[in-house]
Amino acid sequence: MPGSVTDFSLLPGWAGPLFSAFLLVLGLCIGSFLNVVIARVPEGLSIVRPGSRCPRCGHVLSWYENIPVLSWLALRGRCRSCHAPISPRYVLVELLTGLLFLACLSRFGWTYELFPALVLVSLLIPLTFIDLSHWILPFSLTVPGIAAGLLLAVPRGADAVVDATVGAVLGFLVFRLMEYIGWKVFKKEALGGGDKFLVALLGAFLSWRALLGILFLSSLQGAVVGVALLALTGRAGPAAQPPAPDAQPSPTGPGPAPASDASPAGDGASGVASTSTSSGVTLPSSDDVSLPGMAAHPAGGAPISEAGPEEEPEPTMTWEFTRPGIPLWKRLLLVPWCLLVQPIPDAPVDEETGEEEEWVPGPTNIPFGPWLALAGLEVMLLGPWLARVLPMDIALLLGGAP
């Protein structure tokens, strides 16, 4: 079973630290590229072209301005040309990726299990930061991530492939069922539409055995932190960033100030579409009784007002295959799509334009994707520790190794 600290007993004494340093540097470089993914995927921009440049003045970054962490420190967090501030998020993502790579090495050693763990980390970091900023989980990351989890299980044998497949399917279906039950109980969306794809991704990488622990830890931690933020700041999740009327799309995404896209894009990578689905939950309030981590924002539409002189229209849910005037063959083809993918409930439509209204997060809304990602990392990296410090039954429920 993988999980022991790396054993370098058969190698020279200098080999262990050298290989560990190499993995740290690799993590920093990949984290630098993940900054490009975080900045450009939500905007529907290519992650290859154009090269990294300052979004304010268009200054193309030189190679020495793309060195992870060091370039940001040397430039003192500002563009070398126009001195626009560069968001500290870039350094945070780079350091986080490098440290998590080392944590994966400590957990799995230099075994095959290390590679899927590094791939999972490289997927969860951009999904987390995109969800925090934009309240979406792009299909261009979750769907290929599910496929990667299944393919990476193949070298581990047939049993691992079955576990990964069951994990992906079960995770998706359970969260889809939670969407529908939440709608029936609360008459609003129970989970963001993208959460089930993220859970399927985690199930593909970590198997079905990890799903219960991921659900428990994500709901508990998200609820505790959300309630604390609500009490301290009056808002559970990050505030929505309304777009400026004349602003052009920026490769850095929303932020407190313009920031340079100071991350190298890999020469062999391809552009990524930004098709995505929403993610989030609503914490309980005095006017909204719900289960922690379940009742969600009405993604894709206007938020349900907690107070105000005007009442929002009550949301509806209509299966597409039940609409009149649809041929029988098309109705049959719509059934699986509706049961598995159709948004619940219907997105509110503007009466004047006939277009779907853009959803704005309310004060009790919190993105659920980051908490799912955190729980997945905890189950993956802390499994042996959970098995040691917790009773066996509880450790197994939380994904601890037997």
Side-chain angles (χ1 to χ4, degrees):
M1 292 292 293
S4 60
V5 177
T6 306
D7 181 11
F8 287 105
S9 59
L10 301 179
L11 298 176
W14 50 264
L18 181 63
F19 291 162
S20 299
F22 166 77
L23 190 64
L24 174 62
V25 173
L26 177 64
L28 295 176
C29 294
I30 291 179
S32 184
F33 173 71
L34 294 182
N35 275 314
V36 176
V37 176
I38 294 168
R40 298 187 181 185
V41 166
E43 305 292 343
L45 303 175
S46 169
I47 58 176
V48 180
R49 297 182 178 84
S52 299
R53 63 189 63 206
C54 175
R56 172 174 287 184
C57 68
H59 167 67
V60 179
L61 303 184
S62 305
W63 68 266
Y64 53 83
E65 295 176 273
N66 269 327
I67 301 175
V69 181
L70 296 180
S71 292
W72 190 88
L73 295 175
L75 294 171
R76 298 182 180 181
R78 292 188 175 275
C79 171
R80 186 166 63 92
S81 177
C82 68
H83 305 292
I86 304 172
S87 172
R89 188 206 73 198
Y90 290 93
V91 178
L92 174 62
V93 169
E94 291 165 355
L95 289 175
L96 181 61
T97 307
L99 293 176
L100 284 176
F101 272 34
L102 289 181
C104 292
L105 175 61
S106 176
R107 168 68 173 88
F108 297 107
W110 293 101
T111 65
Y112 174 76
E113 301 294 336
L114 176 63
F115 181 59
L118 299 182
V119 174
L120 179 59
V121 166
S122 301
L123 288 167
L124 293 182
I125 287 178
L127 285 169
T128 294
F129 282 89
I130 289 173
D131 200 12
L132 285 172
S133 297
H134 300 275
W135 298 76
I136 59 173
L137 294 169
F139 284 141
S140 52
L141 294 178
T142 54
V143 173
I146 295 170
L150 298 176
L151 289 175
L152 290 173
V154 172
R156 290 180 287 186
D159 290 342
V161 173
V162 172
D163 287 345
T165 304
V166 173
V169 173
L170 184 61
F172 184 93
L173 293 180
V174 166
F175 266 60
R176 179 59 171 175
L177 183 61
M178 289 170 62
E179 280 188 273
Y180 183 72
I181 294 176
W183 153 249
K184 297 297 288 186
V185 173
F186 303 110
K187 294 302 179 183
K188 63 171 69 175
E189 186 179 2
L191 287 170
D195 292 327
K196 57 183 175 289
F197 290 91
L198 177 55
V199 176
L201 185 154
L202 292 169
F205 275 91
L206 304 178
S207 88
W208 60 270
R209 295 178 179 86
L211 293 178
L212 184 58
I214 290 172
L215 176 59
F216 174 77
L217 290 173
S218 59
S219 299
L220 176 63
Q221 294 171 138
V224 170
V225 174
V227 170
L229 289 174
L230 192 61
L232 294 174
T233 66
R235 186 175 192 91
Q241 297 282 345
D246 299 327
Q248 296 180 352
S250 167
T252 60
S260 297
D261 185 10
S263 302
D267 294 336
S270 60
V272 182
S274 62
T275 306
S276 56
T277 49
S278 58
S279 168
V281 297
T282 299
L283 295 172
S285 67
S286 58
D287 300 322
D288 182 10
V289 180
S290 59
L291 298 179
M294 286 188 62
H297 67 257
I304 298 176
S305 176
E306 297 184 13
E310 296 183 2
E311 294 184 359
E312 297 288 343
E314 184 176 350
T316 61
M317 178 60 215
T318 305
W319 297 112
E320 288 293 330
F321 66 84
T322 65
R323 295 186 183 277
I326 300 178
L328 178 60
W329 67 269
K330 189 174 183 180
R331 197 181 299 274
L332 294 175
L333 292 177
L334 280 174
V335 170
W337 179 86
C338 292
L339 295 180
L340 297 176
V341 182
Q342 181 180 336
I344 302 174
D346 301 328
V349 177
D350 188 286
E351 296 182 357
E352 297 182 357
T353 63
E355 299 179 354
E356 293 184 1
E357 297 178 354
E358 183 178 357
W359 176 79
V360 178
T364 60
N365 295 127
I366 183 170
F368 199 27
W371 299 107
L372 289 170
L374 176 61
L377 291 174
E378 290 170 339
V379 169
M380 179 179 71
L381 297 175
L382 302 179
W385 179 79
L386 291 173
R388 289 195 303 268
V389 302
L390 296 176
M392 180 62 69
D393 293 342
I394 298 178
L396 290 176
L397 288 176
L398 295 183

